[in-house]
Amino acid sequence: MCIAEEVKAEKSTRDLVPSSAGEPPPPTPEMAISVPDEDVDVEVAEKPSWFTPKRLLIIFCVINMLNYIDRGAIASNGVNGSSGTCKESGICTPGSGIQGDFKLNNFQDGVLSSAFMVGLLVASPIFAALSKSHNPFRLIGVGLSVWTVAAAGCGFSMEFWSITICRMFVGVGEASFISLAAPFIDDNAPVAQKTAWLAAFYMCIPTGIAVGYIYGGVVGSNLHWRYAFWGEALLMLPFAILGFVMKPLKLKGFASSQSKKEDCEEIVVPKAHDISDEQISNHPTLAIKRDSAGRTSTRSSFLKRTLVQLERFWKDMKVLLLDQVYVTNVLGYIAYNFVIGAYSYWGPKAGYAIYHMSNADLLFGGITIVCGIFGTLAGGLILDKIQSTISNAFKLLSVSTFFGACFCLIAFWLKSLYGFIALFSIGELLIFATQAPVNYVCLHCVKPSLRPLSMAMSTVSIHIFGDVPSSPLVGVLEDYLNDWRKSALILTSVFFLASVIWGIGIFLHSVDRFNEESVHGVPTVERANRRPLLDENLEASEESL
């Protein structure tokens, strides 16, 4: 209830309940309102004694890798399996893995790989909006808890729809982490190594998928595909608990949760009279007003907060949609992810069909691990070396993707397995060099308070328009062509579209907005609250205020 409503309620109380012995009511005490003094030093929250930015990076990297191990595992031959086949003689061979147990065709199998996107699409904007009123680190803990339960549920699934629903909730868990982890890393990375730190984080995407291929192949072949999901859930559980039990971290561009609580806290005006509950109950009019006012205030407050959140979300979305740099970057990322998503899901099966690889999971997993690590790290280090600017990031994105597409395209033309491995490895090195630059643009082309939403909408866009439709569409294409080599060539050509779009970004006017809010007139209290918890130079920073 706001101050005005409390004062009005007190006036009504004095009118309805007469004073005793005809004496005039005692004067209403003056209401004291504390106003933050900008000249007063604000104590910056201390970081946990054992916690350092590097440890934060390691924790987030492990969580990110587990997330993508799940993606690789469900795409592996050991977990995904194959459908049953029947020969002309009438002899049928039973299928294996998820596809064999649930009797899925290629389209259904592709849908299964994309089901997580439903949860990701719904939850990403919600988590990004909640980060403005709730501690982002706690939100990550909530998301990882949902992810853990959903992954375990995949292992207990009994048919297509039950495992599909569980995959949707896996997306909910991913939404909290993927949109908030990168801003935390960007806050605490050394200035000269920001892209390299992002590269280390995003290196876990190809590495996790590759380890997932191997993990799924080994566990699925030796135990059962269900054990692969149960193992993932057990590995993620400690990190979900960590998000709740450890001291939460702050994010640049957002006031601390304590500050927000104090700002939004209701100020209650002391009562002028000591009115007992019995007096209120005996006065019908006052009792009705008290009850109805409480219910109305609660409903009104909830609706008001909801409308404010929606209005703020739409206002922030308009800023993103009108930002040419951001839109161009995301459009190129969509085309890029269209190919990467289909590669990661259909790669082992395509390799087995084209080159008759008996160990397609291990081979594709090994290539992706090596190329993913070195390619992603190289992209971050190169951008830091040539100076981390948005324009330079677009140059690296366009050139690297173009030459990577050329090598991958030639690789699929070759009939020799060894020639394919050599050229495809070079192509993947160049392709994965884009991971750090593309996310650097997403983080630095918007002001700090928009970074969670920027990452969330980027993630939603590349999935809903990229790898979500690509997996089932390539499945339909293969059902029609029945030739994995042709399907792979058609898919790879989409990389050239991504290269062209990112090339356009080179000529756009771009401004790095990472420090935008700190150079404008932000009050001292807000500057202190917005300072990241893990700043290693706290004392020097405080002296500059």
Side-chain angles (χ1 to χ4, degrees):
M1 186 183 294
C2 66
I3 297 173
E5 290 173 336
E6 280 291 343
V7 173
K8 185 176 180 180
E10 286 302 319
K11 185 177 184 300
S12 300
T13 303
R14 291 195 301 270
D15 293 341
L16 289 169
V17 182
S19 58
S20 58
E23 295 179 359
T28 303
E30 292 184 0
M31 181 176 57
I33 303 177
S34 299
V35 179
D37 187 353
E38 294 188 5
D39 296 329
V40 178
D41 291 333
V42 179
E43 182 181 357
V44 180
E46 296 181 358
K47 61 184 178 183
S49 59
W50 64 274
F51 213 86
T52 65
K54 288 184 179 179
R55 287 176 181 169
L56 172 69
L57 177 64
I58 292 171
I59 290 172
F60 280 171
C61 283
V62 174
I63 294 173
N64 203 27
M65 186 171 292
L66 286 174
N67 185 51
Y68 282 91
I69 283 175
D70 173 74
R71 301 272 190 90
I74 198 173
S76 67
N77 286 319
V79 172
N80 190 264
S82 60
S83 57
T85 57
C86 292
K87 298 181 179 179
E88 294 180 357
S89 60
I91 300 175
C92 294
T93 303
S96 61
I98 297 174
Q99 193 172 17
D101 286 359
F102 297 158
K103 299 179 174 58
L104 308 180
N105 56 35
N106 284 338
F107 178 76
Q108 289 176 311
D109 201 15
V111 168
L112 190 62
S113 74
S114 304
F116 77 96
M117 184 57 214
V118 176
L120 190 69
L121 172 64
V122 174
S124 288
I126 294 176
F127 278 114
L130 288 176
S131 67
K132 292 194 172 184
S133 56
H134 297 75
N135 184 273
F137 202 79
R138 289 289 186 253
L139 294 177
I140 291 176
V142 172
L144 295 183
S145 300
V146 174
W147 193 99
T148 302
V149 173
C154 290
F156 290 104
S157 300
M158 301 306 297
E159 39 81 36
F160 171 70
W161 283 110
S162 61
I163 193 172
T164 300
I165 292 173
C166 287
R167 298 307 298 171
M168 292 178 185
F169 279 98
V170 167
V172 173
E174 181 183 345
S176 68
F177 175 73
I178 208 67
S179 59
L180 297 172
F184 272 120
I185 294 172
D186 194 44
D187 275 357
N188 298 286
V191 176
Q193 299 176 355
K194 284 186 178 292
T195 318
W197 279 45
L198 288 174
F201 177 71
Y202 287 104
M203 173 194 70
C204 298
I205 295 178
T207 306
I209 291 174
V211 172
Y213 289 157
I214 300 171
Y215 167 77
V218 172
V219 175
S221 301
N222 293 284
L223 296 173
H224 194 275
W225 62 264
R226 297 182 186 276
Y227 285 91
F229 293 112
W230 294 334
E232 295 168 8
L234 286 175
L235 291 171
M236 185 66 83
L237 182 60
F239 296 100
I241 296 173
L242 185 68
F244 291 102
V245 300
M246 72 170 291
K247 188 174 183 178
L249 313 178
K250 296 178 185 177
L251 194 60
K252 179 181 174 68
F254 296 89
S256 66
S257 57
Q258 181 66 27
S259 174
K260 289 183 178 182
K261 182 178 179 180
E262 291 173 356
D263 290 343
C264 300
E265 204 170 38
E266 295 175 358
I267 302 176
V268 180
V269 181
K271 289 184 178 181
H273 300 279
D274 186 14
I275 305 172
S276 66
D277 289 339
E278 183 180 357
Q279 284 179 291
I280 296 176
S281 300
N282 291 334
H283 201 298
T285 307
L286 182 58
I288 293 172
K289 283 194 173 186
R290 183 189 66 172
D291 294 340
S292 62
R295 289 193 299 268
T296 303
S297 175
T298 302
R299 288 195 299 267
S300 175
S301 178
F302 174 76
L303 290 174
K304 187 180 295 184
R305 287 197 303 269
T306 303
L307 290 174
V308 168
Q309 289 279 10
L310 290 174
E311 183 181 0
R312 182 185 298 164
F313 173 76
W314 177 239
K315 181 181 178 181
D316 291 343
M317 279 297 301
K318 286 195 294 185
V319 173
L320 291 181
L321 293 174
L322 293 175
D323 191 323
Q324 294 181 343
V325 174
Y326 179 78
V327 172
T328 301
N329 186 54
V330 172
L331 287 176
Y333 204 6
I334 289 171
Y336 168 91
N337 217 55
F338 186 93
V339 185
I340 292 295
Y343 270 5
S344 65
Y345 193 75
W346 295 113
K349 287 189 176 182
Y352 179 81
I354 298 173
Y355 298 103
H356 307 291
M357 302 176 188
S358 58
N359 56 346
D361 286 345
L362 294 175
L363 184 60
F364 265 83
I367 293 175
T368 307
I369 285 176
V370 174
C371 298
I373 292 175
F374 288 101
T376 307
L377 288 176
L381 292 172
I382 290 172
L383 185 56
D384 282 334
K385 191 70 175 177
I386 64 176
Q387 191 177 4
S388 299
T389 65
I390 294 175
S391 179
N392 284 344
F394 275 125
K395 292 174 185 176
L396 183 57
L397 289 170
S398 181
V399 173
S400 181
T401 304
F402 176 81
F403 285 105
C406 291
F407 278 100
C408 290
L409 204 64
I410 297 171
F412 280 113
W413 273 107
L414 298 178
K415 294 183 178 180
S416 168
L417 174 60
Y418 298 107
F420 167 80
I421 293 174
L423 292 179
F424 189 71
S425 297
I426 297 173
E428 282 210 323
L429 277 170
L430 293 166
I431 291 300
F432 284 124
T434 61
Q435 288 294 317
V438 71
N439 287 286
Y440 177 89
V441 175
C442 281
L443 289 168
H444 285 254
C445 71
V446 299
K447 60 184 180 180
S449 62
L450 284 180
R451 289 181 304 166
L453 184 61
S454 170
M455 296 303 298
M457 298 315 300
S458 171
T459 303
V460 168
S461 299
I462 65 174
H463 287 314
I464 195 171
F465 301 113
D467 57 5
V468 167
S470 71
S471 294
L473 285 176
V474 171
V476 171
L477 179 65
E478 175 56 24
D479 286 337
Y480 175 75
L481 295 176
N482 198 27
D483 186 333
W484 273 112
R485 189 185 299 276
K486 291 181 180 178
S487 298
L489 290 171
I490 294 172
L491 175 65
T492 303
S493 63
V494 180
F495 272 139
F496 292 108
L497 176 62
S499 177
V500 171
I501 295 173
W502 278 329
I504 295 173
I506 300 172
F507 304 100
L508 296 177
H509 175 68
S510 57
V511 178
D512 192 324
R513 303 183 186 278
F514 180 75
N515 292 316
E516 182 172 289
E517 290 183 345
S518 62
V519 298
H520 287 78
V522 181
T524 306
V525 173
E526 290 190 30
R527 288 206 304 271
N529 287 332
R530 294 180 181 188
R531 189 167 304 284
L533 180 63
L534 301 179
D535 192 343
E536 292 181 328
N537 299 314
L538 286 176
E539 294 181 2
S541 299
E542 287 177 345
E543 291 176 1
S544 65
L545 290 179

